[in-house]
Amino acid sequence: FLPPLAAGSPGPFFEVRTYTLRPSGLAHILASWEAAIPQRIARSPLTGAMYAIEGDTPRYMHIWPYASLDARFSIRATAVADGVWPPKGGPDHILTMRNAIYVAAPFSPIR
Protein backbone atom coordinates (compact mmCIF):
# COMPACT_ATOMS: atom_id res chain seq x y z
CA PHE A 1 0.00 0.00 0.00
CA LEU A 2 3.06 2.31 -0.03
CA PRO A 3 4.42 4.12 -3.08
CA PRO A 4 7.64 2.62 -4.53
CA LEU A 5 10.98 4.05 -3.42
CA ALA A 6 12.41 6.29 -6.12
CA ALA A 7 15.59 8.30 -6.60
CA GLY A 8 15.16 12.07 -6.54
CA SER A 9 15.53 15.20 -4.44
CA PRO A 10 12.56 15.33 -2.06
CA GLY A 11 14.68 16.53 0.93
CA PRO A 12 17.25 17.60 1.94
CA PHE A 13 15.92 16.86 5.45
CA PHE A 14 14.71 13.36 6.32
CA GLU A 15 12.76 12.45 9.43
CA VAL A 16 13.41 8.85 10.46
CA ARG A 17 11.05 7.51 13.10
CA THR A 18 11.44 4.04 14.60
CA TYR A 19 8.91 2.34 16.86
CA THR A 20 9.28 -0.71 19.06
CA LEU A 21 5.89 -2.39 18.97
CA ARG A 22 3.94 -4.59 21.30
CA PRO A 23 4.48 -8.26 20.33
CA SER A 24 1.07 -8.39 18.62
CA GLY A 25 1.22 -4.80 17.30
CA LEU A 26 2.60 -5.16 13.78
CA ALA A 27 -0.66 -6.27 12.15
CA HIS A 28 -2.49 -3.35 13.78
CA ILE A 29 0.18 -0.85 12.69
CA LEU A 30 0.10 -2.09 9.09
CA ALA A 31 -3.72 -1.96 8.95
CA SER A 32 -3.89 1.53 10.44
CA TRP A 33 -1.20 2.80 8.08
CA GLU A 34 -2.90 1.32 5.05
CA ALA A 35 -6.06 3.23 5.98
CA ALA A 36 -4.31 6.53 6.78
CA ILE A 37 -1.47 6.78 4.29
CA PRO A 38 -3.39 8.13 1.26
CA GLN A 39 -4.45 11.27 3.16
CA ARG A 40 -1.03 11.68 4.77
CA ILE A 41 1.00 11.41 1.55
CA ALA A 42 -1.33 13.92 -0.07
CA ARG A 43 0.35 16.43 2.28
CA SER A 44 3.97 15.34 1.76
CA PRO A 45 5.74 12.39 0.16
CA LEU A 46 6.91 9.28 1.98
CA THR A 47 10.42 8.02 1.22
CA GLY A 48 9.84 4.60 2.72
CA ALA A 49 8.57 2.43 5.53
CA MET A 50 9.76 -0.97 6.70
CA TYR A 51 9.46 -3.40 9.54
CA ALA A 52 11.58 -6.02 11.30
CA ILE A 53 10.22 -9.00 13.18
CA GLU A 54 13.31 -10.71 14.59
CA GLY A 55 13.75 -10.82 18.35
CA ASP A 56 11.11 -10.42 21.03
CA THR A 57 9.43 -7.27 19.72
CA PRO A 58 8.69 -6.11 16.18
CA ARG A 59 9.91 -2.73 14.96
CA TYR A 60 8.48 -0.32 12.39
CA MET A 61 10.37 2.55 10.74
CA HIS A 62 9.27 5.28 8.34
CA ILE A 63 11.19 8.03 6.54
CA TRP A 64 9.66 11.35 5.43
CA PRO A 65 11.52 13.94 3.33
CA TYR A 66 11.07 17.67 3.87
CA ALA A 67 12.38 20.74 2.06
CA SER A 68 12.97 22.47 5.41
CA LEU A 69 12.47 21.86 9.11
CA ASP A 70 9.80 24.57 9.09
CA ALA A 71 7.94 22.63 6.38
CA ARG A 72 8.18 19.48 8.51
CA PHE A 73 6.68 21.25 11.51
CA SER A 74 3.88 22.85 9.50
CA ILE A 75 2.90 19.70 7.57
CA ARG A 76 2.91 17.52 10.68
CA ALA A 77 0.99 20.06 12.77
CA THR A 78 -1.70 20.40 10.11
CA ALA A 79 -2.01 16.61 9.68
CA VAL A 80 -2.43 16.18 13.45
CA ALA A 81 -4.91 19.07 13.74
CA ASP A 82 -6.96 17.65 10.85
CA GLY A 83 -7.03 14.17 12.45
CA VAL A 84 -5.12 12.63 9.55
CA TRP A 85 -2.08 11.66 11.62
CA PRO A 86 -1.15 9.59 13.55
CA PRO A 87 -3.12 6.67 12.11
CA LYS A 88 -6.19 5.76 14.18
CA GLY A 89 -5.33 3.15 16.84
CA GLY A 90 -1.67 3.03 15.84
CA PRO A 91 -0.24 4.55 19.04
CA ASP A 92 -2.03 1.88 21.13
CA HIS A 93 0.43 -0.70 19.80
CA ILE A 94 3.68 1.25 20.30
CA LEU A 95 6.03 0.64 23.24
CA THR A 96 8.77 3.15 22.35
CA MET A 97 9.45 5.75 19.68
CA ARG A 98 12.75 7.19 18.50
CA ASN A 99 12.93 10.12 16.10
CA ALA A 100 15.89 11.65 14.26
CA ILE A 101 16.45 14.18 11.48
CA TYR A 102 19.09 13.39 8.86
CA VAL A 103 20.59 15.23 5.90
CA ALA A 104 21.43 13.09 2.87
CA ALA A 105 25.02 12.55 1.82
CA PRO A 106 26.02 14.24 -1.46
CA PHE A 107 26.35 10.85 -3.21
CA SER A 108 22.94 9.56 -2.12
CA PRO A 109 20.43 8.78 -4.93
CA ILE A 110 17.76 10.25 -2.64
CA ARG A 111 18.53 13.79 -1.47
Side-chain angles (χ1 to χ4, degrees), residues 57-107:
T57 54
R59 293 182 316 278
Y60 190 71
M61 181 178 78
H62 48 102
I63 305 168
W64 298 88
Y66 295 99
S68 70
L69 297 179
D70 288 337
R72 175 199 172 267
F73 179 80
S74 175
I75 291 165
R76 287 184 48 79
T78 302
V80 170
D82 292 348
V84 170
W85 209 252
K88 303 286 186 249
D92 299 339
H93 303 282
I94 296 170
L95 294 173
T96 65
M97 178 186 76
R98 185 176 48 197
N99 195 49
I101 302 293
Y102 293 92
V103 177
F107 56 82

Side-chain angles (χ1 to χ4, degrees), residues 1-2 4 6-7 25-26 29 34-35 41 44 47 57 70 75 77 79 90 98 110-111:
F1 61 86
L2 297 177
L26 184 59
I29 291 293
E34 185 171 12
I41 64 173
S44 67
T47 296
T57 54
D70 288 337
I75 291 165
R98 185 176 48 197
I110 301 172
R111 288 183 236 143

